[in-house]
Amino acid sequence: MLIDEATISVKAGNGGNGSVSFKRNAQTAKGGPDGGNGGNGGNVYVVGINDFTTLTEFRYKKNVRAEDGIKGGKQNLYGRNGKELVIQIPVGTQITNLATKESFEVLDTTSKTLIAKGGKGGRGNNEFKTATNQTPYYAEKGEQGEEKRFFLELKLIADIGLIGLPNSGKSSLLSVLTNAHPKIGDYPFTTLEPNLGVMGGLVLADIPGLIEGASRGKGLGDRFLKHVEKTRILIHCVDITADDLKRNYETVRNELILYNPQLLQKKEILVLTKADLLEQEKIKKIENKIKRLNKNYLIVSIYSTESLKKLKEAILA
Ligand SMILES: Nc1nc2c(ncn2[C@@H]2O[C@H](COP(=O)(O)OP(=O)(O)O)[C@@H](O)[C@H]2O)c(=O)[nH]1
Ligand SMILES: [Mg+2]
């Protein structure tokens, strides 16, 4: 399981002060009170977003605040309300108020949850006029907006694992199927955590390092295999241009068995990648061989939207 977390300070807008003012013009030397009300401070809300990478933003942006209300003006002019602030937090994030320990989870992308309330604007002196006091020299101050600190925690479990030998096109597929931007053609063992992306609400993990010996810890493969255990579906990528497709496929399957035989029970989609690099004729021959094996397979190229669409359908089926 991968955990992402951040702590943020949130400040809702202060209310604008009410104004103290009296009507003055050529006709009226000593008019009644006309101080307007201050605007309300902006609220701070949370809405969910299907992009878990947004949490990392709050490592750098630790303070967020909504706009203050504008103070009231002469001639009963109302101050404008401060703009609300809506922060986007990945769906699945647990948000805990650090002072009260109250917490809630961001469940979807449609609901908007208030997390800090803006201060009410103060009333202007016009509102304090009474029968006995026609000239109140008094207006209300705007209230302070709420100020709170929150702990944000997102636990990610990959639903789908992209497996296959190095260079089989896993990272490329992740980048075209999801919002992730993994390094393509990167040396496979440079990262210690799998790259993740979201597709239709499902988390896809690009599991690098599956080579012969991975289950015994070679090339950090076992670190990555533990992520495979949690996934529901495996997308097994095999480079269609490789010399021995069967051997490539079996090398990876064998590492799965050695690590945990139950991994073989998972639904697996065999994906022959980089189909654009091979002539149709050769692809047909390969297909004929696979058909005899009675396996679920797809032939895919990152340059063929049609093939990617079919892959998405197979994953979501
Ligand atoms: N022509 C072509 N090249 C691809 C395709 N998918 C991946 N590649 C290339 O194959 C190489 C390895 O891809 P990568 O996604 O890094 O493989 P990984 O090691 O399994 O993550 C890179 O140079 C990619 O640009 C494809 O569909 N067509
Ligand atoms: Mg890769």
Side-chain angles (χ1 to χ4, degrees):
M1 181 148 43
L2 302 140
I3 298 177
D4 204 358
E5 54 183 50
T7 303
I8 55 167
S9 295
V10 170
K11 171 82 175 71
N14 297 330
N17 294 336
S19 147
V20 177
S21 158
F22 295 93
K23 208 184 229 168
R24 293 282 183 274
N25 57 35
Q27 287 80 40
T28 335
K30 262 188 156 184
D34 72 349
N37 299 344
N40 298 327
N43 294 329
V44 182
Y45 297 93
V46 161
V47 292
I49 178 171
N50 276 326
D51 176 359
F52 57 79
T53 58
T54 55
L55 213 52
T56 42
E57 231 177 84
F58 296 109
R59 298 229 179 91
Y60 312 102
K61 198 173 75 185
K62 290 186 173 300
N63 294 295
V64 296
R65 64 172 301 161
E67 198 184 41
D68 293 339
I70 307 294
K71 64 177 198 288
K74 292 174 193 301
Q75 299 174 350
N76 291 319
L77 215 61
Y78 277 62
R80 182 172 61 71
N81 291 336
K83 277 194 204 105
E84 65 181 32
L85 177 74
V86 180
I87 51 180
Q88 295 183 312
I89 302 287
V91 169
T93 302
Q94 191 75 23
I95 301 186
T96 307
N97 179 325
L98 283 171
T100 64
K101 303 294 175 217
E102 281 171 294
S103 80
F104 69 98
E105 190 184 327
V106 181
L107 293 176
D108 52 50
T109 55
T110 48
S111 33
K112 196 166 144 188
T113 310
L114 178 72
I115 57 165
K117 199 165 166 23
K120 264 186 71 176
R123 286 174 292 170
N125 68 338
N126 186 28
E127 299 226 1
F128 293 99
K129 181 174 60 181
T130 61
T132 51
N133 186 0
Q134 296 287 317
T135 54
Y137 281 88
Y138 168 78
E140 259 175 352
K141 279 209 145 73
E143 288 173 1
Q144 294 287 301
E146 287 184 320
E147 195 162 3
K148 297 177 178 175
R149 270 159 54 80
F150 292 97
F151 180 63
L152 313 177
E153 186 181 41
L154 177 64
K155 295 191 172 114
L156 288 167
I157 298 175
D159 301 288
I160 293 156
L162 283 156
I163 59 170
L165 292 180
N167 212 32
S168 59
K170 302 179 295 293
S171 304
S172 302
L173 273 183
L174 184 76
S175 73
V176 291
L177 293 174
T178 74
N179 51 355
H181 308 288
K183 287 190 179 150
I184 309 294
D186 198 23
Y187 186 68
F189 310 131
T190 48
T191 131
L192 290 183
E193 296 293 352
N195 289 304
L196 299 174
V198 179
M199 186 193 92
L202 297 174
V203 177
L204 265 71
D206 163 13
I207 316 277
L210 293 185
I211 50 170
E212 202 168 337
S215 57
R216 287 179 275 115
K218 194 167 170 198
L220 299 173
D222 57 335
R223 278 196 71 129
F224 297 114
L225 278 162
K226 77 170 194 275
H227 294 290
V228 178
E229 279 187 306
K230 305 237 170 63
T231 59
R232 215 163 30 79
I233 304 175
L234 298 176
I235 301 177
H236 192 152
C237 301
V238 177
D239 182 344
I240 202 165
T241 67
D243 296 333
D244 194 340
L245 303 185
K246 189 158 175 281
R247 197 187 127 70
N248 285 8
Y249 174 78
E250 280 167 358
T251 300
V252 170
R253 288 291 279 185
N254 197 37
E255 292 307 318
L256 298 185
I257 302 177
L258 291 172
Y259 185 78
N260 175 357
Q262 283 180 343
L263 295 182
L264 295 197
Q265 307 299 318
K266 289 184 194 285
K267 175 178 167 185
E268 184 196 52
I269 305 171
L270 169 61
V271 172
L272 298 175
T273 59
K274 314 187 192 181
D276 56 287
L277 296 178
L278 225 56
E279 304 97 77
Q280 207 50 43
E281 231 171 88
K282 279 199 173 148
I283 292 179
K284 276 273 161 292
K285 271 188 197 158
I286 292 171
E287 276 197 86
N288 287 335
K289 276 190 198 159
I290 302 174
K291 276 186 185 132
R292 272 181 254 144
L293 299 174
N294 217 3
K295 272 211 78 65
N296 253 337
Y297 75 95
L298 283 169
I299 295 188
V300 169
S301 158
I302 55 168
Y303 303 111
S304 155
T305 12
E306 188 55 32
S307 73
L308 295 173
K309 200 174 141 225
K310 282 192 181 136
L311 176 55
K312 274 190 186 182
E313 283 166 6
I315 294 169
L316 298 173

